[in-house]
Amino acid sequence: MLIVLDRKHDTPLVDHIRALLQEKYNCESHLIGENGRVIAVPGDTKHVDIEVFENIEGVKSVDRVEPPYKLASRKNKDRTVITLRPDVMIGSRGTLAVMAGPCSIESPEQMDETAAMAKEGGVNILRGGAFKPRTGPYSFNGLGEDGLKLLKKAGEKYGMATISEAMNEEQIDTVAAYADIVQIGARNMQNYDLLRKAGTCKKPVMLKRGLAATLEEFLLAAEYILAGGNPNVILCERGIRTFEEEVRYTLCLGSLPALREMTHLPIIVDPSHAAGRSRWVKDLALAGVASGADGLIIEIHPRPEEALSDGPQSLDREQWTDCIRSIRTVAGAVGRTVV
Ligand code: PEP
Ligand code: MN
């Protein structure tokens, strides 16, 4: 960490800062350079609250140099590859992991039909929400554990891995008991108790980017899970809230190359929640693949008009068939195969 001061040779300030570093954070520090303006703090400084130093009068800037998300950082590792099955992996250089399924699991028939639709598209990961975070309290909020049983049954029948969301600490264990990947939703990205609990989970966790989270905040949230002992974290870019109102959320494609440099964790794009309209999903999906995503998660439904949640953005059979065909073409063009 580097602390740069406004004035040269301000010995009382230098002494004050160095004493604070030593006493409060047990950090050695050195005055470097000829102007006596730069204090260098070598070693691990992730426990140091940099705001304490930024707020001291006479301090110009504080730069941690090392990112605060040590475990998620690309500096430590090139890539994390999560192998769900020998032929289904997330994060390997030449593959594109596509997850598809309904927003919510609604009934045995709907789950089975949607799984069949996903499988016809040749994908191997089935999504389905059993615990639903809804904006309003009166909306359908999922079938709970019964829904998870339907997801597991469909996964087994069609030979697919499964993913479903947990909204609280207790649900992490329940979802992990039935699904292969536990999803943490955008609204819970900064639910730190939930992240800690996900760190103890034995299944991979897909963490969705918060509606207003910076990439650093996103990676710090992932860091909670990694620090808790779960190395299998997948990031999901699902669009952020901006001033734009025509699209449901603004899909932040720039986050893909940026995250690729910042972290070794796999990155999935969710074009469905970003678009909010089924007819726009394909274009965003293709853009995600072209921008370097390791995978996609797409909402599909045999009869979107009857869906109990997110019907307007769910692809029907025809749209899904067209979408997955184009996804394969673009994936091929960027050197990836759909798994
Ligand atoms: C979902 O995947 O159905 C969902 C609710 O997503 P998000 O948390 O991104 O809104
Ligand atoms: Mn949804």
Side-chain angles (χ1 to χ4, degrees):
M1 183 166 95
L2 292 177
I3 302 175
V4 181
L5 310 183
D6 285 326
R7 281 183 288 127
K8 297 177 185 176
H9 307 296
D10 186 345
T11 311
L13 182 59
V14 170
D15 291 346
H16 169 63
I17 290 172
R18 294 192 59 202
L20 194 60
L21 282 163
Q22 188 65 57
E23 284 154 24
K24 193 161 179 199
Y25 299 104
N26 198 24
C27 283
E28 294 283 321
S29 62
H30 312 278
L31 193 60
I32 58 168
E34 286 171 12
N35 295 331
R37 283 178 64 207
V38 182
I39 300 168
V41 191
D44 189 356
T45 58
K46 69 172 179 296
H47 61 295
V48 177
D49 181 354
I50 66 170
E51 278 185 22
V52 168
F53 296 91
E54 281 169 344
N55 289 334
I56 295 175
E57 206 175 314
V59 170
K60 186 166 192 277
S61 64
V62 184
D63 185 350
R64 219 185 268 276
V65 187
E66 286 289 316
Y69 42 88
K70 292 254 179 296
L71 300 171
S73 169
R74 182 84 190 271
K75 287 196 175 157
N76 294 327
K77 196 173 172 186
D78 187 38
R79 262 172 193 272
T80 284
V81 179
I82 296 168
T83 306
L84 297 175
R85 283 192 341 216
D87 56 333
V88 184
M89 63 284 276
I90 304 176
S92 76
R93 219 170 274 279
T95 61
L96 183 82
V98 182
M99 313 174 184
C103 177
S104 298
I105 301 154
E106 299 167 1
S107 67
E109 298 73 26
Q110 174 255 14
M111 185 70 254
D112 185 79
E113 257 187 280
T114 320
M117 216 171 121
K119 190 68 192 185
E120 278 161 33
V123 305
N124 291 299
I125 308 170
L126 182 63
R127 70 151 283 154
F131 299 108
K132 294 304 302 176
R134 303 307 301 279
T135 303
Y138 310 119
S139 307
F140 175 65
N141 56 21
L143 296 182
E145 194 166 348
D146 288 342
L148 291 171
K149 289 180 183 162
L150 298 176
L151 178 71
K152 184 172 159 67
K153 192 171 162 206
E156 283 167 358
K157 177 171 170 187
Y158 295 98
M160 300 171 86
T162 54
I163 175 167
S164 197
E165 175 168 353
M167 295 199 300
N168 61 40
E169 291 160 69
E170 219 173 68
Q171 289 170 6
I172 295 263
D173 291 331
T174 315
V175 173
Y178 292 98
D180 298 298
I181 306 171
V182 178
Q183 173 174 322
I184 293 186
R187 289 156 192 81
N188 269 320
M189 192 208 83
Q190 286 175 312
N191 179 341
Y192 298 115
D193 287 337
L194 183 62
L195 298 176
R196 277 210 181 86
K197 174 72 188 178
T200 66
C201 178
K202 301 283 175 259
K203 296 275 172 82
V205 171
M206 185 174 88
L207 177 66
K208 299 188 91 173
R209 181 176 179 184
L211 272 53
T214 64
L215 295 184
E216 183 170 300
E217 287 163 345
F218 192 14
L219 292 180
L220 284 169
E223 188 81 7
Y224 268 87
I225 306 174
L226 297 168
N230 186 345
N232 295 319
V233 178
I234 303 156
L235 303 173
C236 178
E237 171 61 59
R238 46 82 73 208
I240 50 175
R241 180 85 90 195
T242 66
F243 51 83
E244 182 50 65
E245 291 175 342
E246 290 299 316
V247 284
R248 189 174 181 194
Y249 294 99
T250 300
L251 184 63
C252 182
L253 286 172
S255 72
L256 283 130
L259 283 171
R260 183 69 72 215
E261 284 182 10
M262 296 163 86
T263 183
H264 53 84
L265 299 173
I267 310 155
I268 299 293
V269 163
D270 174 349
S272 304
H273 289 86
R277 290 179 201 220
S278 59
R279 65 180 186 276
W280 295 343
V281 168
K282 174 178 142 184
D283 286 344
L284 297 190
L286 300 184
V289 179
S291 304
D294 295 303
L296 298 167
I297 181 161
I298 300 178
E299 288 184 343
I300 62 174
H301 197 288
R303 286 168 299 282
E305 65 286 358
E306 290 174 15
L308 297 181
S309 63
D310 286 346
Q313 70 197 29
S314 300
L315 305 186
D316 63 18
R317 191 177 299 278
E318 201 181 316
Q319 289 170 317
W320 166 237
T321 307
D322 173 48
C323 183
I324 190 68
R325 193 188 301 123
S326 302
I327 287 169
R328 282 181 206 286
T329 308
V330 175
V334 294
R336 290 180 186 263
T337 333
V338 173
V339 292

